[in-house]
Amino acid sequence: ELANRALLQSLLTSIPLLVADFVTLWILLFGVATVIERLFDLPHNLVTRETALVASLLLAPIALLANLYPALGTSAAVEFRQLVQSAATALCIFTGIGIVATPVNWTYFVGASCITLLFAVPALPAARFTARCIAARCSWWGAPVLIYAPSDIAAELFRRLTFMRDRGLKPAGVLLSADDYWTHGRRLEALGIPACDVRNALQC
């Protein structure tokens, strides 16, 4: 039952990020391709909506392998790097498919992919941030966590995670060692921070 609930929670947390990544890359790729076609008077069917759709769909499994769904507990810097690398990989595959299909227009596919990636570097993280901020208002967003640390560190971490709900970690309480629990447990609870003896963690 716990495994099923954890899987469901992971899926619910991943969906807003997946949708944000897919929609952003699709809009960027199709938009850039359309502009290039019109500027250089190229055929308007080199990158259709369906082609851009397939290229954007490639991002999902690649990002999944890079642990970007649901990316709970991942630092912003690591997430940014993995997201850019995943987008670059998806666009490289798209370029390869385009070159194989129409070798004469290889410069078009390379250019469209490079420009799309250039715009994707700021756009993808921004889209993810927006999706997180919206989803963080919903009760189903994120995963509950217990913090195990010395009382002062645990209290500060509890406050930070509570404030940074967009990161997807929802602090449910603090686990303290036996000594810390008897000396600092009531003080934390007075601050509105649930505290438990680590020996009774299953009751938290």
Side-chain angles (χ1 to χ4, degrees):
E1 182 181 352
L2 289 175
N4 290 336
R5 290 178 62 182
L7 178 60
L8 177 60
Q9 195 66 47
S10 178
L11 288 174
L12 289 175
T13 306
S14 300
I15 287 174
L17 303 179
L18 192 152
V19 171
D21 294 343
F22 166 76
V23 171
T24 302
L25 188 60
W26 184 85
I27 291 174
L28 289 176
L29 181 57
F30 185 71
V32 168
T34 301
V35 170
I36 292 177
E37 287 170 357
R38 292 185 178 179
L39 284 177
F40 295 95
D41 197 23
L42 295 171
H44 296 318
N45 60 350
L46 289 177
V47 175
T48 62
R49 290 182 177 86
E50 291 74 17
T51 308
L53 178 68
V54 172
S56 302
L57 285 173
L58 289 172
L59 181 59
I62 296 171
L64 181 62
L65 292 175
N67 296 319
L68 288 172
Y69 306 120
L72 296 177
T74 304
S75 71
V78 172
E79 183 178 0
F80 174 78
R81 182 177 68 248
Q82 296 289 74
L83 187 59
V84 172
Q85 289 176 351
S86 298
T89 303
L91 289 171
C92 283
I93 296 174
F94 159 77
T95 302
I97 294 173
I99 292 174
V100 170
T102 54
V104 69
N105 293 311
W106 69 270
T107 54
Y108 164 77
F109 288 100
V110 172
S113 296
C114 290
I115 296 173
T116 299
L117 182 61
L118 184 65
F119 284 111
V121 169
L124 283 173
R128 278 196 157 218
F129 176 76
T130 303
R132 277 196 167 98
C133 290
I134 295 173
R137 302 176 182 177
C138 304
S139 58
W140 48 263
W141 167 257
V145 294
L146 289 172
I147 300 170
Y148 180 52
S151 59
D152 292 340
I153 297 175
E156 179 62 23
L157 186 56
F158 187 96
R159 283 191 288 265
R160 289 191 181 187
L161 290 178
T162 302
F163 178 74
M164 300 169 60
R165 293 188 60 187
D166 58 289
R167 300 311 303 174
L169 297 177
K170 300 187 293 185
V174 168
L175 295 178
L176 300 174
S177 64
D179 293 337
D180 270 357
Y181 178 72
W182 290 110
T183 55
H184 301 290
R186 290 187 176 180
R187 180 176 62 85
L188 291 177
E189 290 179 351
L191 296 173
I193 301 175
C196 297
D197 189 331
V198 69
R199 296 173 298 182
N200 302 318
L202 293 177
Q203 301 177 8
C204 295

